[in-house]
Amino acid sequence: MALLEIANLTVEFATATGSLRAVDGINLSVDEGEILAIVGESGSGKSVAMLALMGLLPWTAKVSADSMLFDGQDLLSMDDRQRRKIIGKDISMIFQEPMTSLNPCFTVGYQITEVLCQHFGGSRRSYNNRAIELLHQVGIPAAETRLNAYPHQLSGGMCQRVMIAMMIACQPKLLIADEPTTALDVTIQAQILELLIELQQSHGMALILITHDMAVVAETAEHVVVLYAGQQVEQRSVKELFKSPQHPYSEALLNALPERAQEKLLNAIPGVVPGQMDRPKGCLFNPRCSYAQEMCRQQPPELRDGILCHYPLAMPNPSMRKDPDLDVRTQ
Amino acid sequence: MNHSAVSSKSTLGQQWQEFWFYFSVSKTAVAGLVFLVLVVFVALFADVISPHEPAEQYRQFAKLPPAWKEGGQMQFFLGTDYAGRDMLSRIIHGSRLSLLAGSIVVILSLSIGVLLGLIAGYRGGWLEILIMRVMDTIMAVPGLLLALVLVAILGPGLLNAMVAIAITYTPYFVRLTRASTLSELNRDYVTASKMTGASSTRLMFVSILPNCMAPVIVQGTLSFSTAILDTAALGFLGMGAQAPTPEWGTLIAENRDLILNAPWTVTFPGIAILLAVLAINLVGDGLRDALDPKLKRS
Amino acid sequence: MLRFLINRLMLLVPVFIGVTVVAFGFIRVLPGDPVEVLAGERGVSAEKRVEILANLGLDKPVWQQYLTYLNDVLHGNLGVSVKTNRPVVEEFFELFPATAELAICAIIFAVIIGVPAGIIAALKRGSKIDQGIMGISLIGYSMPIFWWGLLLIILFSNTLNLTPVSGRLSFLFDVDPVTGFMLIDTLLSDEKGSFLNALHHLILPTVVLGTIPLAVIARQTRSAMLEVLSEDYVRTARAKGLSTFRVVTIHALRNAMITVVTVIGLMVAILLAGAILTETIFGWPGIGKWIIFSIFARDYYAVQGGLLLIAITIMTVNLIVDLLYGFINPRILHQKNKS
């Protein structure tokens, strides 16, 4: 049985101008020790879905799902008190902005030992050695002295390492990393990513990596879920996806990778993710899809074999990709 | 936020519409505004509205309770004071003085404060240091105490009280305007008008000033309400308006000894102050929410 | 830390000089002849006049007079009260504990009620409870406190007969002034029931003086909490599985208090201004009542000295608040050390 099973997860926000559907029917399944990547542009609902899983959304959010099972426990029917026993211990999450995600008023040591006290009891002092060990694990030099440092005395990369130390402190079975490297310098990004993979392997934990970077997906994950405007458009193994993407959006994301650019210009995807006000009729991707047909503009597609498209790209034809304006299927 | 992008190009009328849209979101702010308009109306037409002359003494009706109490009379709806003067009429006429005091204090402190703030922010140098240190000094002494001391120098009276209070409020406007001026000075539009050869005065008053008005207007509303409170406090202490002027604070002071015999003579002027100040504060809160773009959507 | 302290002290120097100029100028610009003002209604002869002028140093140029005054001030000499013939400094410090006691009680009252009220309003944002708390605090903020005091006297002292009308302690008790703080002095003395009596006297003045600070603190706590609750680190704290209570009281409140402490610091000036009114209404023998009395009695050296000492009190308290601020907000201290 999978460690995490989510079926038809939907999140709606009540706003002044009506309800906004940020996540629309996502299905996920993560096995123990597996790395799953969730990809999509900004605003595609990646973070919201994971925050919903953690129960961290504000009260304006309405979360519904057919099932949400973690380690055999039903997260949906659980009350807050029960959920808090799992959150931070068995499932934990690190965030995009390490500098603002640590409390500026407390020392690093305090914030790490706090989570241990919360889930295992005992005094904070008794966990000092454990905290030092954790800081070592995440590659922070002179860990003993860092315990008394405040977040503002550390660099962004250091803060993210502290964040990771804090979140793996209780040996979680599942770690969710929400764009853990986006806010960091390019040179640090690779280090943090490497660290995450290393920890994932040594601890045998499952890792959900939220990212918008296809290159990161290729290097790390086994399975990938592609989200677009809150909908899950494709879910497959990474290898297959990279070999032959079936959804035009996945293909477009891959084409946007610098190493796939065949000319001097990068293949950017025209337009932006639709918001609450400008949802198109039919398939949500149709205004930006170079393959869109009349059908795509009229009817929303249904999920078939993990792909949300009227006309999945059956056989990739590399020669056709040179000109994205050409419609493959009309040839 | 394409809303604001549109509004920056729009006409004054549309800006006003947008402002009103945000302001009217708050029901309490609108309620405050309605009450305030009512008070202004009452103050303007006090002579017509008030049932009696405020100073007229009906000796035979001294210390009459309000109309709904036993022994009260309809013609003296809120009762009478020790000299048989009609409380309602005195309160109605008092609204004139309070609104006048509030307006004059705000106009004085706002215009002087904004001018000094603009100069300090725009000119900089020793002039800025001098202005800001003087303002620091004024702020180092509690406002009411400084006002009392100033009145002691100028001599008691409503006008002097207003001037004294205005002086104590000036630093807040100076600080606000200087801060906004400094941040506006670095904006591109100021550089642009400098390049077109606009004079300093033009730059200060035409380019920069309108763009720092929002916080100043909010501070102005807040000062308006505290000015009414402080004027009343000075009147109560005997250093503001002098009896028998029907200023609200003075009314409370002159009837203070009757607090046991005729509590209504103290209660109603106080309620008048409270309601007027409350209404202005409600409007002030509404203004702040409508003018502060940071809070607009929350 | 030391550098931080010195920095702050340096900032206070120009303000201190400014206040001395105001206090010095106060007596200079009073209408009428200074000698006659000081002599009061008795009047003086021509020879006496010259003598007084020379005594007061008024025959010298203004800037010399100011320097003399500044020198006096720095040596703790603020002149002698015309009415009581006692040094102003002595009078001030004799009455100061009464005002300090009242102000401290008022601020404790305001914090104990205002901070939780603000937190609850922020947590229940938009609810009826929030609207209720914010409505009441706006009324408190709009309150003419001199009237509010009279109203409470009518209700609690006269109608319900629950609290005394004025003073700090009933005449039935004889308590030695040790600290000047009546609550402490009555505890130290062996007079039975005197502590409760002092407490009784304190209740209404505390409520009246604390009303506006209470309203301001509740409003500021609410907005600070709202801001802090949407911060990333609060989400992190919740992601750790901490209880809502712990998230709010440890992680959010600690940060929100940074704003609230600043606000409390700004309260000092409001409290001392309010003390003038409160002490007048409740016959409280403190600085506020003394200043008003001195103004009416034309005891100008007392007013001048009081003005200066009150300004110094405020500056001192603000300095302490600044230091406290550095203590709660680690970012401030480290920044200052680096620069």
Side-chain angles (χ1 to χ4, degrees):
Chain A
M1 200 188 76
L3 180 68
L4 177 71
E5 286 257 27
I6 299 177
N8 197 19
L9 172 68
T10 300
V11 181
E12 284 181 322
F13 286 96
T15 66
T17 45
S19 118
L20 164 73
R21 186 168 284 198
V23 176
D24 192 357
I26 288 182
N27 304 296
L28 280 183
S29 159
V30 184
D31 290 325
E32 273 178 44
E34 184 197 14
I35 303 184
L36 173 79
I38 302 181
V39 234
E41 284 166 271
S42 320
S44 58
K46 309 170 294 222
S47 304
V48 175
M50 289 303 106
L51 289 172
L53 169 66
M54 298 282 288
L56 292 180
L57 290 172
W59 59 272
T60 47
K62 217 182 93 210
V63 179
S64 66
D66 291 348
S67 75
M68 198 147 92
L69 288 173
F70 174 78
D71 210 11
Q73 293 160 292
D74 184 9
L75 291 171
L76 273 178
S77 61
M78 227 173 241
D79 65 13
D80 282 353
R81 186 180 290 270
Q82 285 171 303
R83 189 196 286 260
R84 280 201 297 267
K85 286 191 182 141
I86 299 178
I87 298 300
K89 181 167 175 276
D90 294 328
I91 312 177
S92 57
M93 182 162 180
I94 57 178
F95 302 100
Q96 193 169 347
E97 296 283 346
M99 304 291 269
T100 55
S101 292
L102 291 172
N103 194 324
C105 283
F106 295 98
T107 60
V108 163
Y110 183 96
Q111 297 189 54
I112 294 176
T113 50
E114 185 186 30
V115 67
L116 289 161
C117 294
Q118 179 69 29
H119 293 290
F120 300 121
S123 73
R124 282 201 297 109
R125 190 168 293 240
S126 65
Y127 290 113
N128 266 352
N129 286 333
R130 170 74 177 137
I132 293 171
E133 184 193 330
L134 282 164
L135 289 177
H136 272 304
Q137 274 183 33
V138 296
I140 289 184
E144 291 80 0
T145 57
R146 297 289 180 183
L147 276 189
N148 293 320
Y150 285 94
H152 64 268
Q153 294 169 307
L154 305 177
S155 67
M158 281 294 172
C159 280
Q160 196 58 297
R161 285 175 197 268
V162 170
M163 218 26 220
I164 295 171
M166 196 159 82
M167 288 310 183
I168 61 163
C170 298
Q171 308 264 19
K173 294 178 182 145
L174 171 65
L175 177 67
I176 303 167
D178 184 357
E179 307 215 17
T181 59
T182 309
L184 302 174
D185 289 347
V186 185
T187 45
I188 311 291
Q189 287 185 356
Q191 291 178 13
I192 294 288
L193 212 57
E194 229 165 75
L195 173 68
L196 276 175
I197 305 302
E198 194 187 297
L199 288 168
Q200 180 263 337
Q201 276 161 1
S202 61
H203 287 65
M205 59 184 179
L207 177 67
I208 296 182
L209 191 63
I210 303 176
T211 178
H212 57 254
D213 188 346
M214 272 296 193
V216 169
V217 176
E219 282 166 31
T220 54
E222 291 144 44
H223 281 89
V224 58
V225 174
V226 182
L227 295 189
Y228 182 77
Q231 293 179 331
Q232 178 180 336
V233 295
E234 183 161 1
Q235 172 171 25
R236 302 177 66 198
S237 84
V238 172
K239 259 185 203 150
E240 283 177 59
L241 184 95
F242 271 74
K243 205 163 74 194
S244 63
Q246 304 214 328
H247 194 284
Y249 180 59
S250 316
E251 190 201 48
L253 280 178
L254 288 174
N255 286 347
L257 283 173
E259 51 269 39
R260 295 223 176 181
Q262 276 134 3
E263 291 148 42
K264 278 195 173 172
L265 289 176
L266 292 180
N267 295 310
I269 310 173
V272 289
V273 182
Q276 184 189 4
M277 299 304 194
D278 51 356
R279 285 203 152 210
K281 208 175 152 194
C283 173
L284 291 179
F285 188 55
N286 87 68
R288 304 172 71 189
C289 179
S290 49
Y291 307 113
Q293 309 269 314
E294 199 45 39
M295 172 85 138
C296 304
R297 295 185 191 100
Q298 296 306 325
Q299 271 185 18
E302 277 170 23
L303 198 63
R304 262 174 294 152
D305 306 326
I307 294 144
L308 193 73
C309 185
H310 288 297
Y311 307 105
L313 309 177
M315 287 301 292
N317 188 341
S319 63
M320 291 305 165
R321 283 223 187 82
K322 279 182 182 165
D323 188 352
D325 287 327
L326 278 180
D327 193 327
V328 182
R329 278 147 302 187
T330 53
Q331 291 278 305
Chain B
M1 288 309 281
N2 41 13
H3 206 93
S4 60
V6 175
S7 73
S8 63
K9 282 183 227 157
S10 65
T11 63
L12 207 64
Q14 279 168 312
Q15 279 183 10
W16 173 254
Q17 262 179 9
E18 192 200 10
F19 164 76
W20 180 251
F21 172 77
Y22 284 117
F23 184 82
S24 58
V25 166
S26 163
K27 300 270 180 305
T28 50
V30 176
L33 187 65
V34 169
F35 186 79
L36 190 61
V37 169
L38 192 78
V39 175
V40 172
F41 179 81
V42 165
L44 284 178
F45 300 101
D47 292 327
V48 187
I49 294 170
S50 73
H52 302 274
E53 278 296 306
E56 179 85 54
Q57 303 188 351
Y58 302 90
R59 288 283 177 175
Q60 68 276 30
F61 294 123
K63 288 195 257 179
L64 221 54
W68 59 88
K69 282 266 185 81
E70 204 187 323
Q73 289 193 11
M74 267 323 274
Q75 61 163 327
F76 302 110
F77 190 69
L78 294 183
T80 57
D81 67 1
Y82 64 94
R85 289 173 295 196
D86 179 40
M87 286 310 294
L88 180 61
S89 306
R90 287 178 76 68
I91 291 172
I92 287 175
H93 279 268
S95 66
R96 282 189 162 178
L97 296 170
S98 284
L99 288 185
L100 186 75
S103 322
I104 289 185
V105 166
V106 171
I107 290 169
L108 273 179
S109 55
L110 188 143
S111 47
I112 297 172
V114 167
L115 187 69
L116 288 177
L118 264 179
I119 294 173
Y122 189 80
R123 284 282 303 277
W126 63 268
L127 199 59
E128 180 186 19
I129 294 173
L130 181 72
I131 292 174
M132 296 321 287
R133 289 298 87 79
V134 171
M135 294 305 137
D136 285 350
T137 306
I138 296 178
M139 289 175 96
V141 184
L144 189 66
L145 177 61
L146 188 63
L148 274 170
V149 168
L150 289 170
V151 172
I153 298 172
L154 299 169
L158 186 58
L159 188 69
N160 289 344
M162 290 190 242
V163 173
I165 294 170
I167 291 176
T168 64
Y169 288 1
T170 309
Y172 299 94
F173 291 101
V174 176
R175 283 193 162 189
L176 263 182
T177 317
R178 175 178 161 269
S180 331
T181 308
L182 286 179
S183 70
E184 292 296 322
L185 267 179
N186 296 322
R187 299 282 173 83
D188 289 343
Y189 74 90
V190 176
T191 320
S193 44
K194 262 188 200 160
M195 305 239 275
T196 58
S199 71
S200 295
T201 341
R202 195 184 153 74
L203 213 55
M204 260 166 34
F205 289 98
V206 181
S207 300
I208 298 174
L209 183 59
N211 287 293
C212 10
M213 276 325 272
V216 171
I217 289 172
V218 174
Q219 179 66 36
T221 341
L222 293 176
S223 303
F224 191 53
S225 65
T226 42
I228 291 181
L229 279 179
D230 281 353
T231 317
L234 283 182
F236 175 75
L237 290 172
M239 298 300 276
Q242 299 294 301
T245 319
E247 195 273 328
W248 287 341
T250 319
L251 284 185
I252 295 177
E254 69 185 10
N255 292 313
R256 198 182 148 183
D257 297 336
L258 297 179
I259 160 175
L260 300 182
N261 289 329
W264 60 88
T265 54
V266 173
T267 319
F268 293 121
I271 291 176
I273 301 175
L274 176 61
L275 289 181
V277 172
L278 185 62
I280 298 164
N281 282 337
L282 286 173
V283 174
D285 275 8
L287 272 180
R288 191 195 53 208
D289 292 349
L291 290 175
D292 187 349
K294 222 169 68 182
L295 298 169
K296 254 179 194 176
R297 276 163 169 251
S298 62
Chain C
M1 190 70 192
L2 191 69
R3 178 176 293 184
F4 182 68
L5 183 70
I6 292 170
N7 251 334
R8 290 287 137 150
L9 277 174
M10 294 301 285
L11 283 176
L12 286 181
V13 171
V15 179
F16 174 76
I17 292 176
V19 174
T20 55
V21 170
V22 170
F24 170 75
F26 165 66
I27 285 202
R28 298 284 314 172
V29 299
L30 276 174
D33 183 81
V35 177
E36 265 165 42
V37 166
L38 291 174
E41 285 117 30
R42 282 164 290 166
V44 282
S45 64
E47 306 116 58
K48 185 85 178 165
R49 197 190 145 76
V50 177
E51 193 189 316
I52 292 179
L53 274 179
N55 258 349
L56 294 173
L58 292 178
D59 50 349
K60 293 185 191 123
V62 176
W63 64 270
Q64 263 187 22
Q65 289 178 38
Y66 171 70
L67 286 184
T68 317
Y69 171 70
L70 192 61
N71 187 44
D72 282 351
V73 166
L74 291 176
H75 286 90
N77 175 13
L78 293 179
V80 174
S81 159
V82 179
K83 292 287 159 188
T84 57
N85 256 330
R86 292 174 55 205
V88 171
V89 177
E90 204 180 297
E91 286 213 319
F92 183 90
F93 282 106
E94 195 177 292
L95 297 169
F96 183 72
T99 301
E101 183 175 40
L102 180 56
I104 291 169
C105 287
I107 203 75
I108 290 173
F109 164 76
V111 168
I112 283 182
I113 299 180
V115 169
I119 294 173
I120 292 169
L123 290 178
K124 306 268 176 191
R125 180 185 194 180
S127 69
K128 287 272 178 291
I129 298 173
D130 179 24
Q131 286 166 3
I133 290 175
M134 284 304 101
I136 292 171
S137 69
L138 194 67
I139 293 174
Y141 185 66
S142 311
M143 191 65 85
I145 62 167
F146 53 96
W147 174 75
W148 178 225
L150 293 175
L151 209 65
L152 289 179
I153 289 178
I154 297 178
L155 186 65
F156 287 98
S157 305
N158 296 115
T159 312
L160 300 174
N161 223 348
L162 287 176
T163 51
V165 180
S166 78
R168 297 178 78 189
L169 193 66
S170 162
F171 293 115
L172 299 172
F173 300 103
D174 181 23
V175 173
D176 295 326
V178 183
T179 57
F181 287 81
M182 201 52 91
L183 288 181
I184 299 171
D185 287 351
T186 48
L187 275 182
L188 293 176
S189 83
D190 45 9
E191 295 263 357
K192 290 232 159 47
S194 60
F195 176 75
L196 280 180
N197 187 275
L199 202 61
H200 252 106
H201 278 84
L202 250 173
I203 292 174
L204 284 193
T206 297
V207 171
V208 169
L209 187 55
T211 297
I212 288 182
L214 167 61
V216 176
I217 288 173
R219 282 163 68 97
Q220 294 289 343
T221 305
R222 176 180 179 270
S223 63
M225 276 307 273
L226 281 181
E227 200 164 295
V228 168
L229 284 175
S230 65
E231 292 281 356
D232 286 348
Y233 53 76
V234 169
R235 185 178 60 188
T236 308
R238 289 171 61 214
K240 284 156 113 178
L242 306 179
S243 67
T244 311
F245 183 76
R246 193 173 164 86
V247 171
V248 170
T249 53
I250 307 286
H251 285 267
L253 193 59
R254 177 77 186 265
N255 285 280
M257 280 325 274
I258 294 172
T259 329
V260 176
V261 164
T262 322
V263 173
I264 293 173
L266 296 174
M267 289 285 101
V268 184
I270 296 180
L271 279 173
L272 286 176
I276 295 174
L277 294 164
T278 313
E279 291 179 1
T280 310
I281 299 164
F282 290 99
W284 192 265
I287 301 301
K289 195 170 160 244
W290 172 69
I291 281 261
I292 283 287
F293 174 80
S294 304
I295 289 177
F296 276 106
R298 298 176 185 275
D299 188 348
Y300 292 121
Y301 276 123
V303 177
Q304 183 194 38
L307 189 70
L308 187 65
L309 288 170
I310 287 175
I312 292 173
T313 309
I314 292 176
M315 283 190 261
T316 314
V317 176
N318 283 342
L319 186 70
I320 294 170
V321 170
D322 267 352
L323 294 181
L324 204 62
Y325 185 84
F327 185 69
I328 338 180
N329 186 356
R331 269 171 297 190
I332 297 286
L333 272 188
H334 294 294
Q335 269 165 20
K336 296 285 166 182
N337 284 346
K338 270 182 219 159
S339 63

